[in-house]
Amino acid sequence: QVQLEESGGGLVQSGGSLTLHCAASGSDFSSLIMGWYRQAPGKMREFLASIATGTAGDTTNYADSVKGRFTISRDNAKNMMYLQMNSLKPEDTAVYYCNRLPGWYGGYLDWGQGTRVTVSS
């Protein structure tokens, strides 16, 4: 079972930037369609972005709420995934998680602890 660990969160001012990291244990990371999610206080967990590695390279997908501001990427050789977050807004304040995108192959992996992002106005 792949284990996930998020890091890189912190306190940032509105308009600032942060880069989140997701470290995955285990083999075959490159075959996983991975995603970033977040959960704000009192709200449901929200999908943000996904990335899949194929023969032609990586394919990405974004939620409308972060499109144009966030960039997902991965380094399969290091079993790492990243989320570059720019133009942060107070409404981006949440705990951020990485996980597999659920599909025909299976559901979510065990969730990590997440990394907290706080954007001050």
Side-chain angles (χ1 to χ4, degrees), residues 4-82:
L4 303 166
E5 182 174 2
E6 303 89 351
S7 62
L11 174 64
V12 64
Q13 289 189 330
S14 181
S17 299
L18 277 177
T19 300
L20 305 184
H21 299 74
C22 170
S25 67
S27 60
D28 215 20
F29 174 73
S30 63
S31 70
L32 299 178
I33 302 175
M34 294 296 295
W36 282 100
Y37 307 80
R38 69 185 178 191
Q39 188 165 19
K43 295 189 176 181
M44 300 284 288
R45 189 165 287 160
E46 173 190 12
F47 164 81
L48 300 177
S50 66
I51 186 166
T53 297
T55 55
D58 292 336
T59 301
T60 59
N61 186 39
Y62 296 92
D64 288 343
S65 59
V66 303
K67 195 175 295 183
R69 299 190 299 125
F70 292 7
T71 302
I72 190 172
S73 62
R74 67 193 299 169
D75 184 339
N76 292 325
K78 297 181 179 179
N79 276 20
M80 293 291 295
M81 184 175 68
Y82 308 96

Side-chain angles (χ1 to χ4, degrees), residues 68-116:
R69 299 190 299 125
F70 292 7
T71 302
I72 190 172
S73 62
R74 67 193 299 169
D75 184 339
N76 292 325
K78 297 181 179 179
N79 276 20
M80 293 291 295
M81 184 175 68
Y82 308 96
L83 187 68
Q84 173 68 43
M85 306 187 296
N86 298 325
S87 303
L88 284 162
K89 307 174 183 179
E91 51 263 45
D92 294 318
T93 295
V95 179
Y96 285 68
Y97 302 87
C98 61
N99 210 313
R100 176 173 66 178
L101 203 70
W104 60 267
Y105 41 78
Y108 293 114
L109 303 169
D110 289 341
W111 293 93
Q113 296 294 311
T115 186
R116 184 174 300 275

